[in-house]
């Protein structure tokens, strides 16, 4: 339980906290590969997915040429009757179409953000990743309607990773508030909880089944919830947010 029962600022992580990014990426990649198969790629989709996972593991999730590398690794009998550039473009289009369909938050989460903002608590973002990709998520999820634009901290923009307490200290300094009156909500047990704890923030661990949920933080979060929507109960019970 935090010492103070007042909050001035809540920082929110994006991936697998506000939005189930792991599930989305899995589905969007499947859509991309199915689009290639529909256009003549002679392969089983599960085999393609397995190979694509290896590509991502080897080159990192932010590389721009996953599909190019995937197709180069396939046997020649799989690709001999297709145009590689067409296959890559088909995959990219299908992936982006998935964004239009699925990159949004539910009404309950949207209402929670609105209620937090209306209560006078400022909202910000602390997120890992490339600036372009994370800003796109902020816009597609319409988080920009609720967050303070001066309180957006993306690791590749700041030049400091979430594993470094300096990222959180910079965010705290930008608010002008005491860390004990600042909450950070995230899913990564080490980068969102342990490091934010080290900075003196009130931490909320969203253990909702994302890719990091198998690990436990080394230090205890102030609160543990199963989904972002459960943050409402924390705020109502402990900080006087109206139901």
């Amino acid at each position: 339980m935090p010492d103070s029962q007042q909050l001035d600022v809540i920082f929110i992580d994006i991936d697998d906290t506000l939005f189930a990014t792991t599930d989305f990426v899995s589905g969007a990649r499947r859509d991309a590969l199915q689009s290639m198969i529909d256009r003549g790629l002679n392969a089983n989709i599960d085999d393609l997915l397995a190979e694509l996972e290896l590509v991502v593991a080897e080159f990192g999730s932010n590389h721009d040429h996953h599909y190019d590398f995937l197709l180069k690794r396939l046997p020649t009998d799989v690709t001999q009757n297709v145009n590689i550039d067409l296959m890559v473009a088909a995959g990219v289009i299908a992936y982006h179409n998935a964004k239009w369909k699925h990159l949004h938050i539910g009404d309950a989460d949207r209402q929670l953000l609105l209620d937090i903002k209306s209560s006078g608590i400022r909202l910000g973002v602390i997120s890992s990743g490339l600036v372009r990709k994370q800003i796109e998520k902020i816009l597609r999820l319409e988080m920009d309607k609720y967050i303070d634009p001066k309180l957006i901290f993306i690791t590749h923009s700041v030049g400091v990773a979430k594993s470094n307490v300096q990222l959180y200290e910079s965010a705290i300094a930008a608010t002008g508030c005491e860390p004990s009156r600042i909450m950070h909500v995230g899913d990564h047990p080490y980068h969102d909880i342990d490091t934010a704890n080290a900075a003196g923030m009130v931490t909320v661990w969203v253990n909702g089944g994302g890719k990091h949920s198998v690990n436990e933080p080394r230090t205890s979060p102030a609160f543990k919830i199963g989904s972002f929507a459960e943050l409402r109960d924390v705020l109502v019970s402990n900080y006087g947010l109206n139901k």
Side-chain angles (χ1 to χ4, degrees), residues 16 19-38 45-46 48-49 52-53 56 67 90-103:
D16 289 330
F19 178 72
T21 305
T22 297
D23 292 341
F24 164 76
V25 169
S26 177
R29 288 175 180 165
R30 178 173 285 273
D31 287 353
L33 297 177
Q34 186 61 55
S35 181
M36 296 182 194
I37 292 171
D38 291 344
I45 192 166
D46 290 326
L48 291 176
L49 282 167
L52 181 58
E53 287 182 7
V56 173
Y67 300 141
V92 170
I93 290 170
Y95 192 99
H96 284 288
N97 284 344
K99 291 181 181 180
W100 288 110
K101 293 178 183 177
H102 304 298
L103 250 176

Side-chain angles (χ1 to χ4, degrees), residues 14-15 61-64 99 103 125-140 143 147 149 152-160 167:
I14 299 174
D15 297 314
S61 61
N62 289 318
H63 202 285
D64 288 333
K99 291 181 181 180
L103 250 176
V125 168
I126 301 177
S127 182
S128 294
L130 299 178
V131 177
R132 172 177 54 82
K133 287 188 175 183
Q134 298 309 98
I135 290 293
E136 180 184 6
K137 291 172 188 172
I138 287 172
L139 292 171
R140 287 186 182 272
M143 293 178 70
I147 62 177
I152 298 174
F153 293 84
I154 299 171
T155 55
H156 281 57
S157 175
V158 180
V160 181
L167 176 66

Side-chain angles (χ1 to χ4, degrees), residues 59-142:
F59 291 94
S61 61
N62 289 318
H63 202 285
D64 288 333
H65 297 285
H66 289 151
Y67 300 141
D68 304 77
F69 292 166
L70 169 67
L71 292 166
K72 289 177 180 179
R73 294 159 70 128
L74 299 177
T76 54
D77 63 309
V78 173
T79 59
Q80 63 182 354
N81 293 321
V82 299
N83 181 292
I84 296 299
D85 293 329
L86 189 149
M87 289 294 104
V88 171
V92 170
I93 290 170
Y95 192 99
H96 284 288
N97 284 344
K99 291 181 181 180
W100 288 110
K101 293 178 183 177
H102 304 298
L103 250 176
H104 56 79
I105 58 176
D107 291 341
D109 290 340
R110 192 183 308 277
Q111 186 64 50
L112 176 56
L113 293 175
L114 177 59
D115 290 345
I116 293 171
K117 181 180 180 180
S118 299
S119 76
I121 298 173
R122 285 183 288 165
L123 283 164
V125 168
I126 301 177
S127 182
S128 294
L130 299 178
V131 177
R132 172 177 54 82
K133 287 188 175 183
Q134 298 309 98
I135 290 293
E136 180 184 6
K137 291 172 188 172
I138 287 172
L139 292 171
R140 287 186 182 272
L141 297 173
E142 298 185 333

